[in-house]
Amino acid sequence: MKTLIVANWKCNPKTFAEAKQLFNSIKRGIKKIKNVEVVICPPFIYLPQLLKAKSFSLIPKLGAQDCFWQEGAFTGEISAKMLKNLGVNYVIVGHSERRKHFAESDRMINKKLKAALKAKLKSIFCIGEKEKERKAGKTFFALKKQLKKGLKSIKKAFFKNLIIAYEPVWAIGTGKPCEIPDAKEVNLFLKKIFKNIPVLYGGSINSKIAKNYIKEANFDGLLVGGASLKAEEFIKIIKSCSAC
Ligand code: PGA
């Protein structure tokens, strides 16, 4: 299995010109990389043009940061099927910023996951405990709850396109990544339940620490936010992981 490095650009950059420049710089920088699958998840509106820009190269792949579970009278939404029809390969579902700022519930995340997996999108299901849950020793309780509710009544046959991303909420965008032993413990816990399903780590990843999560904590890849907006830094992350 190739190491999977996913860039979550969130609501950045401000213009398509900047997005294209960033995308092309990353593409140039990783041309010769073989054993890593790189996925860029830009804002929805940049996807069609970036898909065109990548048509002559299979590196990197493109993903969306969210999806909706159906089409119809749902102003402002974009469905999993629309993304699939556009040629998008991946989608992030249940990111903690969506849970926090847009009140996404486990029930909604479950519907999104079902729709994404049904549309045959590789679906990156984000889970992670809050700081107060970790401090109270409730990390595994919180993770189990998110897993149980998020994956409710999804048939095992759909799991072949499922990817789990462990993103402790307190580690996202804070510059305080989860310590390797703690991250490794969660990874082992997830691998015991989900055999053969890739598990990613996300939360304040930078080029100095990236490879430790692959090499020492045995994650199958990384979900990178802030550091994926700086081409040079993101390329360093990818290269360090390809050398693992
Ligand atoms: P970060 O974000 O790398 O900026 O912490 C990770 C994420 O939100 O997926």
Side-chain angles (χ1 to χ4, degrees), residues 101-119:
H101 303 300
F102 305 98
E104 269 192 20
S105 63
D106 289 315
R107 215 179 118 253
M108 289 161 77
I109 290 162
N110 176 248
K111 286 187 178 193
K112 290 184 176 196
L113 262 183
K114 272 185 193 159
L117 290 167
K118 209 169 161 198

Side-chain angles (χ1 to χ4, degrees), residues 1-70:
M1 199 193 320
K2 281 185 179 181
T3 303
L4 183 60
I5 310 284
V6 183
N8 177 10
W9 284 1
K10 309 190 181 186
C11 193
N12 298 291
K14 277 196 210 76
T15 65
F16 176 66
E18 289 169 271
K20 196 173 165 190
Q21 197 182 16
L22 179 57
F23 182 82
N24 285 336
S25 304
I26 294 167
K27 198 166 87 172
R28 271 195 305 275
I30 60 169
K31 236 190 225 154
K32 294 193 182 108
I33 300 282
K34 290 221 166 67
N35 46 348
V36 177
E37 169 129 316
V38 179
V39 180
I40 310 278
C41 301
F44 284 130
I45 54 163
Y46 301 146
L47 279 168
Q49 278 163 293
L50 289 180
L51 276 161
K52 265 190 228 154
K54 84 159 195 115
S55 60
F56 51 91
S57 158
L58 287 173
I59 308 168
K61 295 220 160 63
L62 282 157
Q65 298 170 16
D66 183 29
C67 66
F68 192 63
W69 55 83
Q70 66 187 100

Side-chain angles (χ1 to χ4, degrees), residues 190-222:
L190 293 171
K191 289 261 166 67
K192 255 188 216 152
I193 311 176
F194 301 99
K195 293 177 186 77
N196 304 319
I197 290 179
V199 180
L200 316 181
Y201 168 79
S204 294
I205 280 293
N206 63 54
S207 63
K208 290 194 181 78
I209 57 167
K211 68 170 187 306
N212 302 340
Y213 290 84
I214 310 296
K215 232 175 158 175
E216 292 171 35
N218 300 319
F219 282 92
D220 302 295
L222 302 168

Side-chain angles (χ1 to χ4, degrees), residues 82-146:
M82 287 174 188
L83 293 168
K84 184 67 184 180
N85 291 341
L86 191 68
V88 168
N89 311 102
Y90 286 80
V91 65
I92 298 171
V93 177
H95 191 281
S96 66
E97 285 156 13
R98 295 219 51 89
R99 293 179 194 255
K100 184 177 170 199
H101 303 300
F102 305 98
E104 269 192 20
S105 63
D106 289 315
R107 215 179 118 253
M108 289 161 77
I109 290 162
N110 176 248
K111 286 187 178 193
K112 290 184 176 196
L113 262 183
K114 272 185 193 159
L117 290 167
K118 209 169 161 198
K120 297 194 171 66
L121 288 166
K122 289 191 188 289
S123 308
I124 303 167
F125 173 29
C126 299
I127 56 165
E129 81 284 3
K130 296 189 185 119
E131 189 163 30
K132 66 171 190 281
E133 289 167 327
R134 177 158 282 271
K135 282 190 174 150
K138 289 191 173 151
T139 296
F140 291 95
F141 175 78
L143 297 178
K144 273 187 214 161
K145 195 167 141 221
Q146 287 173 4

